[in-house]
Amino acid sequence: MNRQPIGVFDSGIGGLTILRSLIRSLPHEDVIYFGDTARVPYGTKSKDTVLKFSIENVELLLRHHVKLIVVACHTSSAWTLETLRQYFRVPIVGVVTPGATAAMAATHNGRIGVLGTASTIRSKAYERALRRLDRSVSVVSQSCPLLVSLAEEGWTKDAICRSVVQKYVAPVLKQRVDTLLLGCTHYPLLAPMIRRVAGRSVRVVDAGRQTARAVTEILADQGLIHQYHRRGRMTFYVSDEPERFVQVGTTFLGQRIRNVHRVSM
Ligand code: DGL
């Protein structure tokens, strides 16, 4: 079983930021990544729709005999993780609890701002996850729909980006949060700008490293870590034309993307 790949899915390109952390921690694992580029975005959609898509995504990954699945999409994790775990026997790791854990470790004053898609914020999954870790925590949530487009366009450093980030983040900062949790796959690309706008006294954290840690723990517990010391293979599947995925995804993953196949859902 330990030679089987890890499966990762996202609504499209964004989950590559999570994959980046994963391959840094587990470089010998083979990975099958599915980006649902034909049906992106999930961040504007209802729970029912996101659940239907997510079940199909898990089924697709299971056809590749994955040993564990990472739901890299925050919107999907927020709405569907518990249901997916009831439906499927394969271990499934989401990004919400890891993100919340990272934010709890970072905060000193117990006041945390959560930035995410409209759908993720509507789900209140981050509030619940944070409160499970510490009931006294104060959470200020803000949906930031434009940030996904800015990240995909690569507009992460200019004045337009700065003013959009300012507009979303200023009301959150007013609530005296000392930590901003990036509750969306795309926001790590905007982290330098978010840090600039928020100032030095505010910590900006994302779910990547903690998600990789959660995956490593489960694989180690179940004796599923790949034993061979060679670089893992990455295979990508997308539900629309691969071209844009390859082009934009390279920035998200931090390396060239090869081995991409189109599948129809
Ligand atoms: N992957 C989504 C998330 O992390 C962002 C893009 C989308 O809306 O599908 O919530």
Side-chain angles (χ1 to χ4, degrees):
M1 187 85 164
N2 60 18
R3 288 192 198 183
Q4 291 171 233
I6 295 173
V8 179
F9 81 81
D10 178 55
S11 55
I13 292 165
L16 295 170
T17 60
I18 297 292
L19 179 58
R20 192 174 181 157
S21 299
L22 203 62
I23 56 181
R24 202 172 293 152
S25 298
L26 293 161
H28 308 301
E29 297 292 335
D30 293 336
V31 177
I32 306 276
Y33 179 99
F34 173 64
D36 195 6
T37 50
R39 304 190 290 196
V40 69
Y42 286 11
T44 52
K45 295 195 169 74
S46 67
K47 175 182 179 176
D48 286 357
T49 301
V50 174
L51 179 59
K52 176 179 177 291
F53 292 171
S54 301
I55 289 172
E56 289 169 7
N57 300 344
V58 170
E59 284 169 344
L60 180 138
L61 290 172
L62 288 176
R63 287 200 285 278
H64 292 273
H65 308 289
V66 295
K67 61 184 170 187
L68 176 148
I69 289 177
V70 180
V71 183
C73 176
H74 291 255
T75 308
S76 176
S77 284
W79 283 122
T80 75
L81 194 70
E82 280 149 41
T83 314
L84 294 179
R85 282 180 174 155
Q86 284 163 13
Y87 272 38
F88 299 102
R89 277 181 35 212
V90 66
I92 303 182
V93 177
V95 286
V96 170
T97 299
T101 306
M104 282 311 309
T107 186
H108 293 300
N109 72 359
R111 302 182 67 80
I112 295 170
V114 177
L115 312 179
T117 64
S119 192
T120 296
I121 298 303
R122 209 163 0 102
S123 76
K124 297 197 186 320
Y126 271 108
E127 270 105 316
R128 284 197 300 278
L130 287 161
R131 296 236 161 81
R132 262 200 303 272
L133 295 170
D134 181 346
R135 277 175 50 195
S136 69
V137 72
S138 297
V139 185
V140 183
S141 298
Q142 173 72 53
S143 76
C144 312
L146 289 179
L147 298 189
V148 166
S149 308
L150 287 175
E152 290 198 10
E153 283 301 313
W155 294 9
T156 56
K157 297 191 179 86
D158 60 9
I160 295 173
C161 178
R162 190 184 175 99
S163 67
V164 174
V165 167
Q166 188 113 37
K167 179 118 183 152
Y168 287 136
V169 170
V172 182
L173 296 173
K174 263 204 179 133
Q175 307 285 320
R176 294 180 293 108
V177 303
D178 75 346
T179 302
L180 285 173
L181 168 51
L182 306 184
C184 173
T185 50
H186 288 58
Y187 302 174
L189 276 88
L190 297 155
M193 181 60 86
I194 294 170
R195 285 200 179 95
R196 250 167 75 190
V197 167
R200 282 224 190 128
S201 57
V202 176
R203 289 180 166 199
V204 176
V205 299
D206 68 61
R209 205 183 299 168
Q210 197 62 37
T211 302
R213 190 171 298 167
V215 171
T216 308
E217 274 171 19
I218 294 176
L219 292 183
D221 269 6
Q222 304 195 6
L224 294 178
I225 300 253
H226 202 302
Q227 301 300 336
Y228 293 95
H229 289 272
R230 54 117 179 98
R231 219 159 170 88
R233 270 187 304 271
M234 285 187 278
T235 311
F236 300 90
Y237 292 90
V238 287
S239 48
D240 200 357
E241 273 295 305
E243 198 181 320
R244 186 178 144 77
F245 179 81
V246 171
Q247 211 177 53
V248 180
T250 300
T251 318
F252 282 65
L253 185 61
Q255 59 176 275
R256 288 246 337 251
I257 295 179
R258 297 166 224 266
N259 210 5
V260 188
H261 312 273
R262 184 174 177 172
V263 288
S264 65
M265 294 307 282

